């Protein structure tokens, strides 16, 4: 529709002035020729060439535009003008999208910087809390002479580290890369353990803190850089304070057993372990153990049955 209007306007501007009547006013026939004529056709997006063809046919029928020598050049000029407007429109839209994307990138970058700063601050707080905790634990160690256990409820020493569960003790000993089984010196007895490398002083040689089951113990080389020794405890209801007698001891009140492992125990052993864990927590909070609570209940019952007796000086031993 825009093409037809532009051409009609151009045609009106180029048309010679009409002859005037004797009265000096324009004729009614002249007014009819310059009046706009409507154009109507169905536009099919899949057949734009057909639409253009009909528009040009209408133009040829209603004007002499198509008979002009410059018709083809004028159509090309109109096409270029329309395409240029469309190009500018698309360029503006592209710039707008680019600006929006840049703004989004800027916001995202600012959010990432903020998140990093918050994470850094949080890490700093955690580090400070850890430092304070370690300082507090060090004070406790110095006061009690016992060390805080590592994450495996054991202790990290200079030449090896050990962890434990109620049933087993696991020892990790770093060895030179490429160490073979033939290089290992190993001997496990009920109350003693030896380990080392041939031709070198023994790394472990001493009396175990508690007895083990030698036939149920084993060792293996891990990635040719460390040896893992698994010892099966003889008494599987007690935490070891040290691997060897004379070694630094851990504070067993700070041992943190994995609750999920309790399901692997039989009912009797599990009850004993749960009672032990309960008593340990009670002692840490300065509260009576299960045995002391039981004695208190017995005393209360006895007092209620014998109100005539004086229990003011009674003490639970």
């Amino acid at each position: 529709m825009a093409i037809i209007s532009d051409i009609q306007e151009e045609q009106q501007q180029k048309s010679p002035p009409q002859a005037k009547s004797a009265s000096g006013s324009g004729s009614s026939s002249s007014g009819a020729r310059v009046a706009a004529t409507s154009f109507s056709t169905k536009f099919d997006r899949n057949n734009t060439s057909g639409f253009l063809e009909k528009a040009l046919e209408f133009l040829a029928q209603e004007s002499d535009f198509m008979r002009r020598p410059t018709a083809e050049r004028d159509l090309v000029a109109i096409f270029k003008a329309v395409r240029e407007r469309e190009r500018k429109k698309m360029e503006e839209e592209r710039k707008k999208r680019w600006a929006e994307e840049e703004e989004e990138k800027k916001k995202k970058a600012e959010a990432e910087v903020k998140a990093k700063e918050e994470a850094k601050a949080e890490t700093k707080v955690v580090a400070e809390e850890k430092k304070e905790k370690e300082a507090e634990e060090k004070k406790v160690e110095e006061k009690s002479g016992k060390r805080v256990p590592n994450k495996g409820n054991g202790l990290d020493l200079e030449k090896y580290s050990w962890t434990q569960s109620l049933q087993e003790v696991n020892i990790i000993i770093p060895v030179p890369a490429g160490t073979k089984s033939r290089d290992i010196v190993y001997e496990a007895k009920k109350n003693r353990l030896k380990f080392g490398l041939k031709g070198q002083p023994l790394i472990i040689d001493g009396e175990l803190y508690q007895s083990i089951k030698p036939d149920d113990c084993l060792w293996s080389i891990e990635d040719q850089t460390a040896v893992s020794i698994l010892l099966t405890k003889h008494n599987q209801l007690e935490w070891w304070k040290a691997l060897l007698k004379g070694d630094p001891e851990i504070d067993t009140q700070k041992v943190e057993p994995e609750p999920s492992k309790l399901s692997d125990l039989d009912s009797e052993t599990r009850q004993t372990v749960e009672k032990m864990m309960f008593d340990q927590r009670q002692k840490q909070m300065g509260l009576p153990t299960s045995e002391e609570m039981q004695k208190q209940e017995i005393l209360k019952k006895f007092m209620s049955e014998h109100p005539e007796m004086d229990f003011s000086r009674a003490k639970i031993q």
Side-chain angles (χ1 to χ4, degrees):
M1 294 297 292
I3 296 174
I4 303 305
S5 300
D6 292 344
I7 295 174
Q8 287 179 339
E9 184 179 353
E10 181 183 357
Q11 181 181 359
Q12 291 172 13
Q13 292 175 354
K14 291 182 179 181
S15 298
Q18 302 295 324
K20 295 183 178 180
S21 62
S23 61
S25 60
S27 65
S28 59
S29 59
S30 174
R33 279 199 302 272
V34 298
T37 305
S38 62
F39 168 75
S40 176
T41 186
K42 191 173 182 180
F43 177 72
D44 184 359
R45 291 181 180 276
N46 297 321
N47 186 20
T48 53
S49 297
F51 175 81
L52 289 173
E53 184 177 355
K54 289 185 179 296
L56 292 174
E57 288 177 353
F58 174 80
L59 187 61
Q61 180 181 348
E62 297 297 325
S63 71
D64 63 347
F65 180 84
M66 300 299 291
R67 294 190 291 273
R68 296 179 192 172
T70 61
E72 185 175 350
R73 186 179 62 203
D74 292 342
L75 284 174
V76 170
I78 293 171
F79 170 78
K80 288 182 177 181
V82 173
R83 187 169 65 176
E84 180 63 16
R85 286 196 295 270
E86 188 65 19
R87 187 193 66 78
K88 289 182 179 179
K89 181 181 177 182
M90 292 176 65
E91 181 66 16
E92 290 175 359
E93 290 177 351
R94 188 191 66 79
K95 289 181 179 179
K96 183 179 179 182
R97 286 196 302 271
W98 179 84
E100 290 174 349
E101 289 174 358
E102 288 298 311
E103 183 65 22
E104 186 66 24
K105 289 179 181 178
K106 183 179 178 182
K107 290 180 179 179
K108 187 176 180 181
E110 291 174 351
E112 289 178 353
V113 170
K114 185 178 179 181
K116 288 180 180 179
E117 290 176 351
E118 291 176 351
K120 187 177 180 180
E122 185 176 353
T123 302
K124 185 178 180 180
V125 171
V126 172
E128 290 176 353
E129 290 177 350
K130 184 179 179 182
K131 189 176 180 180
E132 291 175 0
K133 184 178 178 181
E134 289 175 349
E136 186 66 27
E137 289 175 348
K138 188 175 181 180
K139 289 181 181 179
V140 173
E141 288 178 7
E142 292 174 352
K143 186 176 180 180
S144 64
K146 296 179 180 179
R147 300 188 183 183
V148 176
N150 57 24
K151 293 182 179 180
N153 298 320
L155 198 60
D156 299 325
L157 300 174
E158 183 180 356
K159 296 182 178 180
Y160 61 89
S161 64
W162 63 277
T163 59
Q164 66 174 321
S165 64
L166 281 170
Q167 296 81 32
E168 300 169 336
V169 172
N170 188 43
I171 310 167
I172 300 296
I173 310 160
V175 295
T179 297
K180 306 295 183 182
S181 58
R182 61 176 177 269
D183 303 323
I184 302 298
V185 175
Y186 167 83
E187 183 181 18
K189 294 183 178 181
K190 184 178 180 180
N191 295 301
R192 195 169 188 86
L193 178 66
K194 289 183 179 181
F195 177 85
L197 300 176
K198 288 182 179 178
Q200 299 181 25
L202 291 173
I203 298 173
I204 299 175
D205 183 16
E207 186 178 354
L208 292 167
Y209 185 78
Q210 289 192 18
S211 60
I212 60 173
K213 299 178 181 179
D215 294 339
D216 296 336
C217 301
L218 54 90
W219 63 271
S220 61
I221 298 177
E222 306 290 341
D223 298 327
Q224 294 186 334
T225 58
V227 172
S228 173
I229 301 177
L230 185 66
L231 306 177
T232 302
K233 294 180 179 180
H234 187 272
N235 179 2
Q236 300 189 346
L237 296 176
E238 189 173 343
W239 299 104
W240 286 17
K241 293 182 179 180
L243 177 65
L244 303 176
K245 290 183 178 180
D247 278 358
E249 295 186 357
I250 64 170
D251 185 355
T252 53
Q253 290 189 353
K254 296 186 179 297
V255 166
E256 298 180 359
E258 298 180 22
S260 58
K261 296 297 182 182
L262 295 177
S263 60
D264 299 334
L265 305 175
D266 58 77
S267 58
E268 184 179 354
T269 305
R270 180 173 178 175
Q271 289 177 4
T272 304
V273 173
E274 289 177 342
K275 177 179 177 297
M276 182 181 65
M277 292 170 61
F278 173 79
D279 290 344
Q280 180 176 308
R281 288 194 297 269
Q282 290 293 98
K283 286 181 180 178
Q284 289 176 350
M285 294 185 291
L287 300 175
T289 63
S290 57
E291 186 177 351
E292 292 170 344
M293 292 170 66
Q294 187 177 6
K295 288 181 180 180
Q296 288 177 356
E297 289 297 323
I298 293 173
L299 179 60
K300 286 180 182 178
K301 184 178 180 180
F302 187 79
M303 289 171 63
S304 63
E305 293 175 351
H306 301 278
E308 73 281 0
M309 297 179 66
D310 182 13
F311 295 94
S312 59
R313 297 183 179 181
K315 293 184 180 180
I316 299 175
Q317 298 295 331

